[in-house]
């Protein structure tokens, strides 16, 4: 299966066979991600990291991934200290940086920015989040987490929190359509999943239900995927405060859940997961964060042609 030179823009671009292949390669590389073995399969390769929005996990896991495989990182750093502050367009920035690197990781607040960048880049673009659009590498690591910590086939999953602006849940829903999952959407009415996405998922054969009650959703699921209500996506701060603390998972609430339920979160969290959940066998969001390294190692090795 040839990934060399492929842009990673949206989960809609990937078939189930392609997704399964990425997850299999990630599993092969997990011992290197854990630093139990050294590798130099990307020696001499350079990854450019262009982040126009703040990030800790996505940026650092990409940087760790390339370094664990023997490659190097070229980080744009602060946008205010770059030529972008002088008015350089995204297209020109991409054409310049592509001359320095073998692949580019891009996070940008504008939906569609990664797709636009791919039209000007001779090297692979990996979309690390474009506004409320897509975040495909997060989805690959979410799927990997579900595969390693629970099961993908016949999955019953609830997605809770900000389903309107949450690009991670949008991408994950499309990916789960390949695995026949049953999805429960849990959110305040103001943060419902966009209607066009729900209709799209149903047209793909997914069973989708909606509720605003965490209590009713948590009883019969294998995985609960919590998300943060993103203050920065709200045009009106007052609207944010109306819904900010509406949904919260606590140890007491988990007493009504299946014993094997796993709690995931793309992080960072604020108040939506009580710290008391951290020490339960259900919490796997920190392990989920680690899984970003082997998954991004797999994607880099594949698009740079070091593995097939």
């Amino acid at each position: 299966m040839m990934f060399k030179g492929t842009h990673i823009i949206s989960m809609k671009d990937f078939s189930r066979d392609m997704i399964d292949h990425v997850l299999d390669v990630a599993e092969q590389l997990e011992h290197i991600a854990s630093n139990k073995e050294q590798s130099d399969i990307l020696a001499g390769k350079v990854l450019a990291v262009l982040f126009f929005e703040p990030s800790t996990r996505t940026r650092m896991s990409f940087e760790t991934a390339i370094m664990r495989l023997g490659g190097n990182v070229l980080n744009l750093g602060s946008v205010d200290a770059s030529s972008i502050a002088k008015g350089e367009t995204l297209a020109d920035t991409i054409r310049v940086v592509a001359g320095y690197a073998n692949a580019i990781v891009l996070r940008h607040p504008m939906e569609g920015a990664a797709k636009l960048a791919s039209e000007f880049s001779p090297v692979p673009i990996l979309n690390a989040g474009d506004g409320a659009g897509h975040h495909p590498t997060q989805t690959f690591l979410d799927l990997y987490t579900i595969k390693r910590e629970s099961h993908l086939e016949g999955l019953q999953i609830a997605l809770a929190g900000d389903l309107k602006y949450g690009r991670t849940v949008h991408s994950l829903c499309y990916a789960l359509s390949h695995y026949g999952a049953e999805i429960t959407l849990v959110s305040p009415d103001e943060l419902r999943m966009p209607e066009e996405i729900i209709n799209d998922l149903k047209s793909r054969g997914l069973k989708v239900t909606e509720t605003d009650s965490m209590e009713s959703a948590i009883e019969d699921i294998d995985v609960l995927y919590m998300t943060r209500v993103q203050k920065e996506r709200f045009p009106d701060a007052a609207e944010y405060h109306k819904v900010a603390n509406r949904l919260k998972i606590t140890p007491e609430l988990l007493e009504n859940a299946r014993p094997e339920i796993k709690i995931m979160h793309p992080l960072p969290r604020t108040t939506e997961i009580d710290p008391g959940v951290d020490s339960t066998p259900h919490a796997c969001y920190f392990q989920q964060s680690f899984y970003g390294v082997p998954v991004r190692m797999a994607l880099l090795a594949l698009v740079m042609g070091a593995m097939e």
Side-chain angles (χ1 to χ4, degrees):
M1 190 171 293
M2 293 298 294
F3 275 82
K4 185 177 181 180
T6 300
H7 300 295
I8 309 295
I9 305 300
S10 165
M11 290 309 295
K12 292 181 180 179
D13 301 330
F14 294 91
S15 66
R16 173 166 175 171
D17 284 347
M18 297 174 78
I19 294 171
D20 285 342
H21 184 60
V22 172
L23 303 187
D24 288 344
V25 173
E27 199 156 1
Q28 292 175 42
L29 296 174
E30 190 177 315
H31 64 294
I32 300 172
S34 303
N35 204 26
K36 295 174 180 172
E37 185 180 326
Q38 307 300 308
S39 172
D40 61 355
I41 63 171
L42 292 184
K45 302 293 187 184
V46 174
L47 177 68
V49 178
L50 276 61
F51 275 59
F52 291 71
E53 284 186 328
S55 171
T56 302
R57 281 151 295 278
T58 303
R59 178 178 57 80
M60 293 187 71
S61 62
F62 264 117
E63 292 174 345
T64 304
I66 186 78
M67 290 190 285
R68 290 280 194 225
L69 295 177
N72 294 293
V73 178
L74 192 62
N75 195 321
L76 174 70
S78 168
V79 170
D80 292 338
S82 72
S83 291
I84 297 160
K86 301 175 184 175
E88 186 174 69
T89 65
L90 177 62
D92 282 357
T93 300
I94 292 296
R95 282 184 284 208
V96 169
V97 175
Y100 307 148
N102 301 97
I104 297 171
V105 179
L106 176 68
R107 170 169 288 190
H108 201 282
M110 180 181 74
E111 191 169 339
K115 177 65 175 171
L116 175 68
S118 71
E119 293 170 1
F120 293 94
S121 178
V123 302
I125 297 290
L126 294 98
N127 182 6
D130 59 340
H134 298 275
H135 195 353
T137 68
Q138 176 71 42
T139 300
F140 276 113
L141 85 83
D142 290 340
L143 292 172
Y144 188 70
T145 303
I146 294 169
K147 179 183 178 184
R148 297 282 277 110
E149 302 293 328
S150 183
H151 55 90
L152 277 168
E153 297 292 344
L155 181 72
Q156 292 180 292
I157 183 171
L159 307 171
D162 179 1
L163 308 184
K164 179 179 181 180
Y165 300 109
R167 59 194 172 201
T168 61
V169 291
H170 298 170
S171 292
L172 182 56
C173 282
Y174 282 108
L176 289 172
S177 70
H178 294 292
Y179 297 90
E182 292 186 16
I183 296 177
T184 301
L185 304 174
V186 190
S187 70
D189 195 51
E190 298 90 330
L191 294 175
R192 286 184 65 232
M193 181 77 76
E195 199 66 39
E196 62 270 24
I197 294 181
I198 294 175
N199 291 336
D200 203 8
L201 294 173
K202 288 180 177 177
S203 72
R204 290 168 177 246
L206 258 73
K207 182 180 178 182
V208 180
T209 56
E210 292 185 272
T211 179
D212 60 1
S213 168
M214 187 71 81
E215 288 76 8
S216 66
I218 202 167
E219 294 180 356
D220 296 311
I221 53 175
D222 304 301
V223 171
L224 171 62
Y225 191 98
M226 291 292 297
T227 65
R228 176 176 64 95
V229 177
Q230 304 172 92
K231 186 177 182 180
E232 66 273 23
R233 305 284 182 216
F234 281 75
D236 184 340
E239 293 301 313
Y240 163 76
H241 289 295
K242 284 182 184 176
V243 297
N245 298 308
R246 197 83 65 85
L247 298 176
K248 185 170 184 174
I249 188 75
T250 63
E252 293 74 23
L253 195 61
L254 285 170
E255 291 175 2
N256 298 321
R258 291 176 177 173
E260 64 274 18
I261 187 174
K262 296 297 181 184
I263 311 297
M264 297 173 59
H265 193 300
L267 300 175
R269 64 174 162 178
T270 50
T271 60
E272 60 275 8
I273 299 179
D274 187 290
V277 176
D278 297 358
S279 58
T280 72
H282 312 296
C284 68
Y285 24 91
F286 294 116
Q287 185 65 21
Q288 177 187 359
S289 181
F290 162 74
Y291 286 142
V293 179
V295 166
R296 285 166 175 138
M297 288 168 70
L299 289 167
L300 293 176
L302 289 167
V303 302
M304 291 187 186
M307 297 180 74
E308 291 186 355

